[in-house]
Amino acid sequence: MNFKRDLKALLFVFSLFLLIAMGVNANASVKTYHQKGYALKGGYATHFVNNGNYAYIPKYNYGSSAGYYESATYQSNPYTMFAKGGNFRRNARTSFYLPVSYNWSGDLGNPQSVAISKSGQYAYVMYPDAKTTIVRYDLWKLHSLGVDTNNMAALRMGVRNRDPQIMSAIKFGPKFDAGHGQSLALNPKTNMLWYVKMDVVTTTPTLVEVSPTTLKPVKQIKFKFSRSYSINNELAIDNNGNFYTYVKYRMQGKSAGRIVIFKGQVKNNHVTFRAIKQGLANGQGFQTQGMGYNPASNRLYLVSDGVISSVPVNKLNKLRPRDVRTTKFKTNLEFEGVAFNQAGLGYILTIRGSQLFTINNF
């Protein structure tokens, strides 16, 4: 028996487990506020705008973007999602094929949400099941390195080969508990990131603030949403720092499901929400996949697979049918979120494989 060798091995294993534990619990030492009472102060939606039922998709079998499997993930040509329905038709085109693998095969293949910095320089993508929870992509630097529609495989290949220039445009944050990870959003008023730590549906969520620089949580607020009202894992924040989330009720007859939007605030580490009294009679798609806010148009975006609806913030509670814009795309990709820069350029996140589409005048 070699005592020194065995001791070194034991210390190595202990250190490894310690590092893993520290990574998984990166938000364990974050300041936590336990809110008393219920956050929901104002009731339920009492009436619904009868927006056109453009969005109902009775069956949606997930597929992949063109060339994803054929090229062994190293796609070289942009993919276009054409609008095929709705009252507001816009096409979207691939801008970046994001990495699919980093530490092991497919570990970055299932991002759940995206936020964009106001300038449009950075994309923050949340990976709840990966070794790094948030990855920040410097889109400007990637463009300067030639990662564009003429060289679309460069980002994935650069990460695979650990190319120093490509890697310098990517910041990998620590591991922490993101829950389902579907709600990463930027607060335009403070430039801080927020998400709701929860699974898909809950009455007891945790609102977490994250530094866009360190990509680490800085504080979290644990609260009870309502005695009987659950929320989904959606979040958007407007120019004034108001928080929004929504609930979609399942299909009834020909309706794709009603939507109730909630507007809230965080003040003195205390969360409050009130229901917008006017909901949407026809929610988008089938499964909710995220929420976004466009600072340029002051609109909220409700994301589902293959279809996105939006409403103007300044007309909430007094929406007319034509105020609700819906775009239905000709695709079977799984949508994971939408985000906008200050100028209004939109980015749609999808998977199989992970990619960012850009969409204009949306």
Side-chain angles (χ1 to χ4, degrees):
M1 176 179 177
N2 189 319
F3 179 76
K4 288 185 177 180
R5 183 187 63 194
D6 292 344
L7 180 60
K8 287 182 179 180
L10 183 62
L11 289 172
F12 172 78
V13 172
F14 176 77
S15 299
L16 182 62
F17 276 107
L18 182 61
L19 286 171
I20 293 173
M22 288 174 65
V24 171
N25 295 292
N27 52 359
S29 61
V30 172
K31 180 63 178 176
T32 301
Y33 299 89
H34 296 269
Q35 181 171 317
K36 296 181 180 180
Y38 292 101
L40 184 61
K41 301 300 181 183
Y44 303 89
T46 57
H47 56 290
F48 296 82
V49 58
N50 190 24
N51 58 307
N53 189 9
Y54 305 111
Y56 178 43
I57 302 175
K59 191 174 183 180
Y60 198 91
N61 295 319
Y62 292 135
S64 60
S65 58
Y68 176 62
Y69 291 109
E70 294 83 352
S71 64
T73 78
Y74 298 105
Q75 294 158 282
S76 57
N77 297 310
Y79 175 77
T80 300
M81 288 195 300
F82 294 100
K84 72 169 186 178
N87 63 341
F88 193 76
R89 302 191 183 193
R90 296 291 186 272
N91 300 330
R93 194 167 188 249
T94 307
S95 184
F96 292 94
Y97 286 121
L98 300 177
V100 178
S101 301
Y102 178 56
N103 288 297
W104 59 82
S105 178
D107 64 328
L108 298 182
N110 192 32
Q112 290 295 308
S113 53
V114 60
I116 301 292
S117 64
K118 290 198 294 184
S119 66
Q121 180 175 0
Y122 297 114
Y124 304 89
V125 181
M126 181 166 266
Y127 301 87
D129 300 321
K131 191 175 180 180
T132 178
T133 301
I134 296 178
V135 178
R136 188 186 72 190
Y137 299 93
D138 188 331
L139 304 183
W140 293 359
K141 191 167 188 178
L142 288 172
H143 271 304
S144 73
L145 294 173
V147 181
D148 54 28
T149 53
N150 295 315
N151 193 17
M152 299 213 69
L155 177 52
R156 288 179 181 167
M157 287 185 173
V159 171
R160 179 194 67 182
N161 299 328
R162 300 300 194 266
D163 179 270
Q165 288 188 309
I166 294 294
M167 297 302 289
S168 70
I170 307 172
K171 181 179 177 63
F172 295 90
K175 176 68 178 176
F176 57 84
D177 185 3
H180 186 60
Q182 189 173 290
S183 56
L184 188 65
L186 178 79
N187 185 341
K189 189 174 182 179
T190 64
N191 288 319
M192 295 295 284
L193 298 168
W194 290 82
Y195 74 96
V196 186
K197 185 169 66 176
M198 56 177 282
D199 289 325
V200 179
V201 178
T202 189
T203 58
T204 56
T206 299
L207 196 59
V208 184
E209 186 179 31
V210 178
S211 165
T213 304
T214 65
L215 307 182
K216 295 179 182 179
V218 296
K219 74 176 178 183
Q220 57 183 359
I221 307 169
K222 295 186 176 183
F223 65 97
K224 298 175 183 177
F225 183 68
S226 168
R227 184 185 300 274
S228 56
Y229 216 3
S230 299
I231 61 170
N232 293 350
N233 197 337
E234 331 287 351
L235 183 67
I237 309 171
D238 70 16
N239 282 327
N240 295 315
N242 296 304
F243 287 61
Y244 298 87
T245 188
Y246 74 97
V247 172
K248 182 172 183 291
Y249 294 96
R250 291 302 188 191
M251 297 170 290
Q252 296 179 341
K254 294 182 179 180
S255 171
R258 289 181 168 184
I259 280 180
V260 179
I261 299 173
F262 302 91
K263 180 179 180 180
Q265 291 184 328
V266 177
K267 289 185 177 180
N268 300 320
N269 304 309
H270 188 87
V271 185
T272 56
F273 278 100
R274 295 185 182 275
I276 301 297
K277 294 301 182 182
Q278 182 192 41
L280 275 64
N282 294 293
Q284 79 293 342
F286 180 74
Q287 183 68 47
T288 62
Q289 290 284 17
M291 193 174 192
Y293 172 74
N294 186 340
S297 65
N298 196 31
R299 297 182 71 92
L300 290 173
Y301 293 75
L302 315 175
V303 182
S304 187
D305 294 312
V307 59
I308 299 175
S309 293
S310 73
V311 294
V313 168
N314 61 351
K315 291 187 178 181
L316 291 175
N317 268 335
K318 49 186 178 183
L319 293 168
R320 293 172 293 183
R322 66 173 178 266
D323 294 322
V324 185
R325 296 176 178 174
T326 299
T327 307
K328 186 175 181 180
F329 298 94
K330 185 179 181 181
T331 185
N332 61 350
L333 293 179
E334 183 174 352
F335 283 36
E336 299 295 354
V338 66
F340 298 81
N341 65 20
Q342 195 71 23
L345 179 64
Y347 291 83
I348 300 173
L349 174 67
T350 69
I351 61 174
R352 297 182 190 89
S354 309
Q355 62 186 300
L356 285 175
F357 290 87
T358 51
I359 187 165
N360 292 294
N361 302 315
F362 194 46

